[in-house]
Amino acid sequence: MASQKFTDDELICAFQDIKSPTLIAKKFNCDVRQIYHRRRNIEAKLGVELKAGSIRSVIHEQLDNHPAVKQIEIKDGVVLIGSDAHYWPNIITTAHRGFVHFCDGLKPKVVIMNGDVCDFATISRFPPIGWESRPSVIQEIETCQDRLEEIVQAAPKGAAFIWTLGNHDGRLETKLASCAPEFAKVSGVHLKDHFPRWTPAWMAMINNDVVVKHRFKGGIHAPHNNVIQSGKSMVTGHLHSLKVVPWSDYNGTRWGIDCGTLAEPYGPQFQDYTEINPVSWRSGFIVLTFKDGKLLMPEMVLKYDNDHMEFRGGIVKV
């Protein structure tokens, strides 16, 4: 296909709006070398500079303005990240108590629940196994409200609360949208209506260097693959495995981080579909510390026993 003809003025406008020569070439359906050649001619003729940005900078600009991305700037301070709580009525786990304890002790500037706060077992697309007992939607919502309020009350005044949504969290609106689409935008049908203190997002971006989202790649090597394929440090949940994997190259060291689970690995949420098989899951959560805007080595907080968490070589009673 022949390349699209374009004027010098059109190319100047493209550099102002798009910036990336690669994307501009795609817009005009031509080879990128033609864009560079035309740019040099225009700069020589008009005595101007057509500044180019990389595709990466264009992507960052798009993410900066994306409504589903929560941008966070932290120079010095702590971000506390818990994930996969799958909160269940009448159960308060050791890891949850630990998370509340550390919200009080570490005084985080930001607290992130990285997906699957809710389980929503009764509205799963998977059928029940036998006659297993599962809590109702309202029981789950009220339980999650209680647990999240405990976190809010323990955190310092002025802390931000972000909820990066997980696949289980999405079950509520998916169910309602498929069964009663006419109720769109009616108060109460959206998950966020029940948790006004928490800002929902698909992704949080910290200092443009650290991505926090519920899931990306799957499998036991997900943290490694996440950091390789995203080009950033990435914090995910979903797999319940609680681990930190470094990756170093000419750009420095980045981190692939799995948040583990705030639930018990052999809790009632999981016992039937896992058939009580051994699972390489760990109860705990993640502490991110920033110094001069740079992420220090991420730290894990691991359940030690029913009353204690393990952190920085010590045992903390919770």
Side-chain angles (χ1 to χ4, degrees):
M1 182 182 294
S3 63
Q4 178 182 335
K5 293 183 178 180
F6 51 94
T7 66
D8 288 351
D9 287 340
E10 288 175 327
L11 184 58
I12 292 172
C13 289
F15 268 99
Q16 292 172 342
D17 296 336
I18 301 175
K19 296 183 176 64
S20 166
T22 302
L23 296 182
I24 293 171
K26 185 176 180 180
K27 170 183 173 66
F28 293 121
N29 193 28
C30 66
D31 190 278
V32 69
R33 289 174 295 182
Q34 182 180 349
I35 298 299
Y36 284 118
H37 177 73
R38 289 281 297 274
R39 183 180 70 171
R40 288 194 297 271
N41 288 342
I42 292 172
E43 289 177 335
K45 181 169 59 177
L46 301 181
V48 298
E49 181 181 4
L50 301 183
K51 292 185 178 180
S54 65
I55 291 179
R56 178 176 297 178
S57 67
V58 174
I59 291 173
H60 282 169
E61 184 176 333
Q62 293 171 343
L63 292 177
D64 285 344
N65 299 307
H66 200 292
V69 177
K70 177 63 178 178
Q71 296 287 343
I72 303 168
E73 295 292 331
I74 295 181
K75 182 179 180 182
D76 298 299
V78 167
V79 177
L80 207 58
I81 307 176
S83 190
D84 294 86
H86 296 269
Y87 286 125
W88 208 253
N90 304 315
I91 295 177
I92 302 178
T93 65
T94 306
H96 170 79
R97 297 200 314 271
F99 197 74
V100 172
H101 179 88
F102 277 69
C103 279
D104 178 51
L106 293 183
K107 309 298 182 188
K109 292 189 174 181
V110 180
V111 180
I112 300 177
M113 295 298 283
N114 197 19
D116 287 359
V117 172
C118 308
D119 190 82
F120 289 137
T122 59
I123 51 176
S124 167
R125 63 187 176 90
F126 301 105
I129 300 173
W131 284 266
E132 62 179 341
S133 175
R134 299 187 291 184
S136 67
V137 170
I138 187 60
Q139 286 176 318
E140 287 207 44
I141 288 176
E142 290 176 347
T143 297
C144 291
Q145 288 173 332
D146 290 343
R147 299 290 84 78
L148 292 188
E149 184 60 22
E150 290 164 0
I151 292 169
V152 169
Q153 292 301 319
K157 184 178 180 180
F161 302 98
I162 299 168
W163 183 343
T164 44
L165 299 170
N167 52 299
H168 280 254
D169 302 320
R171 287 175 172 178
L172 178 69
E173 292 182 42
T174 297
K175 179 71 172 180
L176 292 172
S178 61
C179 295
E182 300 83 1
F183 285 83
K185 299 184 180 180
V186 174
S187 179
V189 302
H190 302 286
L191 187 63
K192 65 181 180 181
D193 297 337
H194 303 278
F195 302 92
R197 295 291 299 272
W198 293 79
T199 300
W202 280 120
M203 183 175 88
M205 178 81 80
I206 307 174
N207 296 344
N208 235 355
D209 290 323
V210 181
V211 173
V212 183
K213 67 193 315 294
H214 181 64
R215 58 181 178 174
F216 181 32
K217 297 299 179 179
I220 62 172
H221 301 298
H224 170 86
N225 292 329
N226 288 343
V227 74
I228 294 295
Q229 298 195 36
S230 71
K232 295 183 180 294
S233 292
M234 180 174 281
V235 185
T236 54
H238 192 58
L239 300 179
H240 304 185
S241 65
L242 190 63
K243 55 190 169 189
V244 175
V245 179
W247 177 260
S248 300
D249 55 24
Y250 289 140
N251 293 313
T253 298
R254 305 188 297 277
W255 305 93
I257 305 160
D258 185 309
C259 290
T261 173
L262 293 177
E264 291 290 340
Y266 297 99
Q269 308 95 315
F270 317 118
Q271 66 184 12
D272 287 315
Y273 85 80
T274 65
E275 301 177 11
I276 313 297
N277 288 323
V279 291
S280 184
W281 300 353
R282 285 162 285 279
S283 289
F285 49 90
I286 292 294
V287 176
L288 300 185
T289 303
F290 292 85
K291 179 67 175 177
D292 295 325
K294 178 179 174 61
L295 174 64
L296 304 182
M297 180 183 291
E299 298 173 287
M300 296 182 292
V301 185
L302 175 68
K303 177 186 173 182
Y304 180 77
D305 61 24
N306 288 337
D307 298 307
H308 299 85
M309 302 296 293
E310 178 182 335
F311 180 59
R312 294 178 180 171
I315 306 301
V316 180
K317 183 176 177 57
V318 296

